[in-house]
Amino acid sequence: MLIDTHCHMDFAAFDSDRNAVISQCRQLGVEQLICPGVSPQQWPKLDALAKRYEGVAYAVGIHPWFISSLADTPQAFSLAQYDDQLKNIVAGQLRCVAIGECGLDAKIDVPLALQQEVLEWHCHQAQALQLPLIVHCVKAHNEMLQCLNNFPEVKGVIHAFSGSIELAENYWQRGFLLGVGGTITYERASKTRSSLSAMPLESLLLETDAPDMPLQGQQGHRNSPVNLVAIAQQLAQLRGISVEAVAEATSRNAKGLFGRLS
Ligand SMILES: [Zn+2]
């Protein structure tokens, strides 16, 4: 059994064939899908998806790319308005298994200070509700680690991890797992490949980030959670172990982190 810990099945990219993709996943042994939240407007759609499809779970959060869609100016941005909505979802729906995705992205136009404020709000929610955090981090790892250090009880996953073994170890020591995605199928990603091969198997989760992050050879095409099988095979090959061992360990890790899954 495999668990895709990060795919966006609610996105419009799957509107035409969502049933088919999810049933193909089941046939291939990709039995659980975790769909992260990206904005409060979209949270109800995730809830509907989890009610409709067995094996679909979700998270509630505000992705840094979606911050600018919530307010015209940073001054007009108030997070408190979402407190109750988030709390009610978590209390009422056990298939809501995490807070996120949230994080810091130095490549976008939103001021980093505003992104940090939004990230801290998610950390507070994760701490108060005792749920893991799904983190998106691009070129802002120092700031991310600084923030996480203020919330020692909060655990989670660094989604689509890419970076050095030192960085991977920093997160792992903080109680964060590393999301292994399509990046490892690219030969040029040698640094990420070697850090993810050297980290303990207990520190890894599998994910596709579908419809984004296509595998090598599929650039320009929609990614699908079906490709989780190929990611598991690639990780097994890099580590010199069987794909069954990868599946068994990463599913156990996912159920350990996302306690509501099992
Ligand atoms: Zn994502």
Side-chain angles (χ1 to χ4, degrees), residues 6-8 11 36-38 63 101 134 136 159 207 209-210 212:
H6 197 117
C7 58
H8 297 277
F11 281 14
V38 295
H63 191 294
E101 70 181 283
I134 297 175
H136 166 108
H159 132 70
E207 58 163 76
D209 202 19
D212 301 324

Side-chain angles (χ1 to χ4, degrees), residues 67 74 79 104 110-120 143:
I67 292 173
L79 286 160
L104 302 175
V110 181
L112 206 58
L114 176 61
Q115 293 191 45
Q116 282 168 315
E117 187 190 324
V118 179
L119 172 64
E120 275 171 31
E143 293 85 348

Side-chain angles (χ1 to χ4, degrees), residues 152-173:
E153 293 155 45
V154 174
K155 312 292 176 215
V157 54
I158 305 301
H159 132 70
F161 176 81
S162 87
S164 66
I165 179 109
E166 291 78 16
L167 183 61
E169 273 171 356
N170 253 321
Y171 282 117
W172 174 230
Q173 280 161 13

